[in-house]
Every structure is written in C-alpha cells, then in structure tokens.
Amino acid sequence: MKVSTLLIFGVICFFQKAKTSSFELQKRAEDDHHMTILGVTTNNEMVVLDEDGAWTDPIENSCCVLNVAVQPGGIVVGVGTDNQLYEWKSRGGVWSWVGPIENSCCVKSIRMGTRGFLIGISPDNRLLARSKLKGATWQRLKKGCCFKAVEVVSDGRLFGVNKKNIIKIKTDMFTGKWITSKVSGPKVKDVIHLDDAEISVGLSVDGCQLYKIDDTMTWVPYMSTGDTCFISIGEGEDPVVE
C-alpha cells in the first residue's frame, strides 16, 4: 500500500464518524459515565451541556476563564485570563476557581492527555506538555508550532487547529509528523473529540455554532451554542460543577 494511501486511511480512521444522533448523544442518563461538552462564553464564564441537551446558564462565580478541561474524576480545570491554571472547587459550599496552581503559567488553552499528561497552548501558539497537573512544569513539544487549539484522543493521537484554521493530525504527542487533514466545510477555531460517541466536534470561527464531521469528512451543523457565543469548548467525563 502506498504511503499516501496509508495517510488518507489514517486521517479517515482518526476522525471516527458519529453513529449516534444528537439526541442520543445528549441523552445517555442510563450510562454510568459519559462525556459532556463545556463552553466558555464571550463573558469568560463556564456553561455545560446538560442531560436534556440544553446549555445551562453561566455557572455562578465561573468568571474569568479562557478555556476549561475536565480531569479524571470530574474536577474541572480552567485557564484564567492571567494564563494560569485553576481548579473548580467548593469552599464552604461556595463553588469558585481555586488557585492559581503553582508553575502553571503560561497557557491560553489546555487539554487532558493520556497517562496524566496535559497539553497546553502558550500565548505564542506553541504546544506545551506537563506530566501532571500539580508538581510539574510546562515543557515545549517538538514540532509544536503554531496552533490555536489542540485535542487529545484517548489512544494518544492529537489533532490541532493551526493559525489558518486548518486541521492537522499527529499520531503521538512526542513522535511522528503532523499531517494536513482533508476535512471540508466551514472553518473551525476549536475542536473536541467525544470518545464514547465516536464524534469530532468543532466550534465555528464566530463561536456561535457547533459542527460535527460526517461520513464525507465534512463539517456539518451539529447544534447551536444557545443564546450566547463561545470563545472555546471543552469536554470531559462527568464534570462536577456544583
């Protein structure tokens, strides 16, 4: 098999198609665990897609963040407007961002990776990694320039959105080359992958629409962001927000 054929096959396999409707994705209450979509509004507040498929009102005290991700166990991590990391926790029954986490500067976006690793994007659009949330520091990744958004799939693969809103794919965090995908349709500025539903979701450039990749490798409308637009999206298993 030719190398070009292998690359195309890898891209198609990477963006696994949704076999589930939007309604089925949003209504999985019978499952013990499921991935949930989170958004950060243009007011830098956190919202969550609830089990009925509706966006919550902005979570009280959730300002001011640029991006959110969910740790295993449900604790939400936010990137503050100061480019440091904070944990969403209850103190005396009042939920708020706790931090900043030591040595967490400077990133504008994060994703939870495999084996406890975190992937971050620096203010100058370079990819960073740290071995764990606490007690570690950010290290630059080789071949990590220049990206606006990045996502980590459970098997370790990455896909990123570069400064021209083109999606690139890499098979591993530390090795391999970036491959330009052939996804067509509207441009997106942020991406997530819902492993349990086998669906890739992108946030429109204006932040007011979510798209998914269909069987023809095209971004197609998935759902609205509701009454507000988002600056970023995130995902995670059973996030605890209150």
Side-chain angles (χ1 to χ4, degrees):
M1 187 179 292
K2 294 182 179 180
V3 173
S4 60
T5 304
L6 286 171
L7 293 179
I8 293 172
F9 178 75
V11 170
I12 293 173
C13 289
F14 183 87
F15 287 105
Q16 299 195 25
K17 316 305 183 302
K19 302 301 182 182
T20 312
S21 70
S22 297
F23 178 78
E24 291 169 332
L25 173 63
Q26 297 159 13
K27 290 286 289 180
R28 293 195 302 272
E30 69 278 5
D31 296 337
D32 291 332
H33 302 283
H34 67 271
M35 304 299 283
T36 297
I37 301 176
L38 303 90
V40 176
T41 72
T42 52
N43 291 325
N44 300 105
E45 296 176 296
M46 178 172 58
V47 296
V48 180
L49 189 69
D50 66 24
E51 292 182 349
D52 295 321
W55 295 102
T56 65
D57 291 332
I59 305 298
E60 187 176 2
N61 299 325
S62 65
C63 188
C64 294
V65 288
L66 302 173
N67 176 257
V68 292
V70 184
Q71 298 181 77
I75 295 178
V76 180
V77 179
V79 179
T81 51
D82 60 357
N83 301 117
Q84 299 185 82
L85 301 184
Y86 295 79
E87 290 183 295
W88 182 250
K89 290 186 173 181
S90 173
R91 294 182 294 186
V94 178
W95 288 83
S96 63
W97 294 111
V98 177
I101 293 172
E102 187 176 3
N103 297 320
S104 63
C105 190
C106 293
V107 290
K108 62 180 182 180
S109 177
I110 60 165
R111 289 289 189 263
M112 295 297 164
T114 57
R115 302 185 300 276
F117 274 89
L118 282 77
I119 299 290
I121 298 179
S122 68
D124 61 352
N125 299 307
R126 295 182 180 274
L127 294 184
L128 309 173
R130 62 192 287 144
S131 59
K132 53 187 177 180
L133 180 63
K134 297 179 180 178
T137 58
W138 290 110
Q139 304 294 326
R140 282 193 174 186
L141 288 176
K142 293 181 179 179
K143 301 178 181 179
C145 187
C146 295
F147 293 92
K148 298 168 62 174
V150 67
E151 173 66 310
V152 187
V153 182
S154 59
D155 62 8
R157 291 176 290 175
L158 307 181
F159 60 92
V161 181
N162 70 11
K163 293 193 293 184
K164 295 182 179 180
N165 298 101
I166 295 172
I167 293 180
K168 299 268 189 172
I169 299 170
K170 197 168 183 282
T171 57
D172 182 81
M173 186 186 306
F174 301 106
T175 61
K177 297 181 179 180
W178 288 99
I179 302 168
T180 300
S181 73
K182 300 298 182 182
V183 181
S184 59
K187 298 292 186 181
V188 298
K189 67 177 181 179
D190 201 359
V191 287
I192 56 174
H193 187 77
L194 305 175
D195 292 299
D196 58 348
E198 297 184 342
I199 182 173
S200 297
V201 177
L203 177 65
S204 62
V205 174
D206 66 4
C208 302
Q209 174 71 45
L210 295 181
Y211 296 97
K212 68 176 181 179
I213 293 178
D214 70 4
D215 291 336
T216 66
M217 295 295 289
T218 302
W219 288 113
V220 298
Y222 179 51
M223 69 174 68
S224 167
T225 60
D227 296 330
T228 185
C229 297
F230 298 163
I231 60 172
S232 66
I233 52 175
E235 48 76 27
E237 185 177 285
D238 297 332
V240 180
V241 294
E242 59 182 15

